[in-house]
Amino acid sequence: MTSRRQVLTQSAALIGAASTGLILPARAQSAKIRVGLMLPFTGTFAQLGIACDNGFRMALEEKGNKLGGREIEYFKVDDESEPSKGVENANKLVQRDKVDVLVGTVHSGVQMGIHKVARETGVLCIIPNAGMHAATRALCAPNVFRTSFTNSQPTLALGRVMMQKGHKKAVWITWKYAAGDEAGEGFKEGYLAAGGTIVKELGLPFPNVEFQALLTEIASIKPDAVACFFSGGGASKFIRDYAAAGLAGKIPLYGSGFLTEGLLDDELAPSAQGIVTTLHYSTSLATKRNDAFRLAYAKAYKMQPDVYAVQGYDAGQLLIQGAAAVNGDFSKKKALYVAMENAVIDSPRGKWTMSKAHNPVQDMYVRVVKGKENVVQGVAAKALSDSGAGCKLG
Ligand code: BEZ
């Protein structure tokens, strides 16, 4: 028979181990599911983080705020798009708050920190934006799923579009960090394969927005076109500076769709007319699913959605499907992951599936800025899958 003293000693040992983070204590099935949101709520990507958060919550609200029949409790951390705090911030959610699932983040450098924690602890992680290659390539993991893109997916489709318009010599410009460099890899692969030449690659550190010297250099090079990766507040500044430097209308500007996504207000739109981008979403997609989503989002948040809201919404949809398959019992990891791997997501961007490496297989659209919209002109790549190079899953 176990004595009271033994029970107390065993409990103390368990509590001690759990507080060091070595064991995550099991919770009763009836307890709330703990959902951690690690996103940028300040800085140049704040708008992106807020949109991911909005979209995710909207998906869950549509299901009565339950996962597999269980109530939800949210925990939130502002990661400030600061890579040096990535591990520490992820641990606030995983070790301190003991979340069942971590949803995050936007910035690829911060994602490196989350990914380290996810691999070491085995916590379920859903990436609602950051496209860093390693997460679904060489460092892929059974517990990590992405509902957005790899950094090279949108730009892979861009080069052919530019060549079809006769732009044979291009300058590539970006922020120099994982997302910009990997977007550049995708652009190079697609553009060179289509017969184009990259005459110069330019860059500046994230989140620097002092573009003037680089724009002067572009003017002197006189390429047929410029292609780029920028996003959020920095993208808006780049478009305005490009126009102010007298380049708009003279040297056509292209980009992955993050360049114009969610930014086309009265102030920016005049400088952005005619910019062509490739992306896996546009508010202008004329489908019943997208119309319904836009309406519901506008009603809930008094603003239009964008790709970041869609990716957050799809993170919610993915989790709902996984949780339903295990009746809210997240300890059934194998069944949970199988359900998430096989999920078909009925997204406002169009239906998509998960690759073996846990990254979306999805269509890439060509969009052009007209008025305040990224108007879809066609499909640049159908059911585009990332290579998943080096991933041993599946
Ligand atoms: C990234 O850091 O992975 C990223 C940030 C904004 C838009 C797209 C990608």
Side-chain angles (χ1 to χ4, degrees):
M1 204 178 154
T2 317
S3 71
R4 184 167 180 273
R5 185 150 168 218
Q6 268 175 315
V7 169
L8 286 179
T9 314
Q10 281 161 5
S11 310
L14 269 177
I15 290 166
S19 68
T20 62
L22 294 175
I23 309 175
L24 301 179
R27 267 181 301 277
Q29 255 295 98
S30 57
K32 289 182 180 173
I33 294 193
R34 298 159 85 88
V35 177
L37 293 167
M38 178 163 155
L39 294 164
F41 296 110
T42 51
T44 197
F45 285 165
Q47 200 180 317
L48 287 60
I50 292 165
C52 288
D53 184 334
N54 287 347
F56 182 80
R57 286 174 196 262
M58 193 172 118
L60 291 175
E61 263 156 35
E62 284 177 0
K63 301 288 172 202
N65 273 322
K66 288 202 169 162
L67 281 168
R70 287 169 68 190
E71 306 274 344
I72 302 161
E73 185 170 2
Y74 283 110
F75 298 82
K76 225 164 137 163
V77 167
D78 176 7
D79 68 40
E80 306 163 45
S81 294
E82 180 46 66
S84 68
K85 296 186 194 161
V87 169
E88 181 192 335
N89 279 330
N91 272 327
K92 282 185 191 159
L93 292 170
V94 176
Q95 305 290 5
R96 182 193 65 191
D97 300 331
K98 311 271 183 264
V99 296
D100 296 295
V101 52
L102 192 165
V103 179
T105 187
V106 167
H107 183 288
S108 277
V110 180
Q111 197 69 45
M112 303 270 191
I114 295 182
H115 201 63
K116 184 172 186 300
V117 172
R119 279 168 57 96
E120 283 172 4
T121 62
V123 72
L124 175 61
C125 176
I126 304 182
I127 309 173
N129 185 73
M132 72 160 204
H133 283 170
T136 53
R137 290 193 184 177
L139 296 181
C140 69
N143 54 317
V144 176
F145 294 80
R146 179 150 47 200
T147 60
S148 51
F149 52 86
T150 59
N151 285 322
S152 56
Q153 254 180 324
T155 40
L156 200 53
L158 187 61
R160 193 148 32 94
V161 174
M162 289 170 66
M163 284 301 285
Q164 279 162 356
K165 302 212 188 246
H167 305 312
K168 296 182 185 145
K169 290 192 171 141
V171 165
W172 168 255
I173 179 167
T174 186
W175 276 315
K176 292 296 294 170
Y177 79 107
D181 292 343
E182 292 174 354
E185 266 177 48
F187 176 64
K188 193 178 269 182
E189 188 181 331
Y191 192 51
L192 299 194
T197 306
I198 299 174
V199 289
K200 185 92 188 181
E201 292 179 42
L202 299 171
L204 70 174
F206 175 89
N208 195 323
V209 291
E210 298 308 317
F211 299 116
Q212 204 47 57
L214 299 172
L215 293 173
T216 304
E217 198 173 341
I218 290 172
S220 73
I221 295 170
K222 297 190 182 65
D224 296 342
V226 170
C228 68
F229 165 85
F230 292 109
S231 175
S236 170
K237 171 87 164 39
F238 182 72
I239 292 171
R240 277 183 279 126
D241 286 4
Y242 197 87
L247 298 176
K250 281 200 192 131
I251 304 176
L253 180 58
Y254 290 81
S256 54
F258 310 111
L259 179 64
T260 52
E261 192 62 16
L263 299 172
L264 297 171
D265 58 11
D266 287 337
E267 204 194 322
L268 185 66
S271 307
Q273 295 306 297
I275 294 177
V276 173
T277 59
T278 41
L279 200 67
H280 45 287
Y281 178 67
S282 163
T283 45
S284 81
L285 276 175
T287 60
K288 274 193 186 153
R289 182 73 180 100
N290 189 35
D291 287 350
F293 171 75
R294 283 182 69 179
L295 202 66
Y297 191 91
K299 213 169 142 192
Y301 302 109
K302 313 286 173 265
M303 62 171 126
Q304 277 300 310
D306 54 22
V307 75
Y308 313 106
V310 170
Q311 293 164 176
Y313 183 75
D314 289 354
Q317 294 207 81
L318 178 65
L319 191 58
I320 288 163
Q321 291 196 28
V326 293
N327 287 322
D329 184 353
F330 276 42
S331 69
K332 293 184 176 157
K333 289 185 184 228
K334 202 160 174 222
L336 177 64
Y337 300 161
V338 166
M340 290 172 76
E341 272 160 9
N342 293 324
V344 177
I345 303 295
D346 187 11
S347 171
R349 73 182 95 166
K351 281 196 177 137
W352 62 266
T353 54
M354 218 29 111
S355 73
K356 285 195 168 29
H358 298 178
N359 189 69
V361 178
Q362 57 192 335
D363 294 348
M364 285 290 151
Y365 305 100
V366 188
R367 308 124 35 103
V368 62
V369 177
K370 282 192 187 150
K372 289 195 277 178
E373 272 218 283
N374 289 294
V375 176
V376 170
Q377 292 193 306
V379 177
K382 190 98 193 120
L384 184 66
S385 185
D386 185 71
S387 72
C391 177
K392 301 274 190 298
L393 295 175

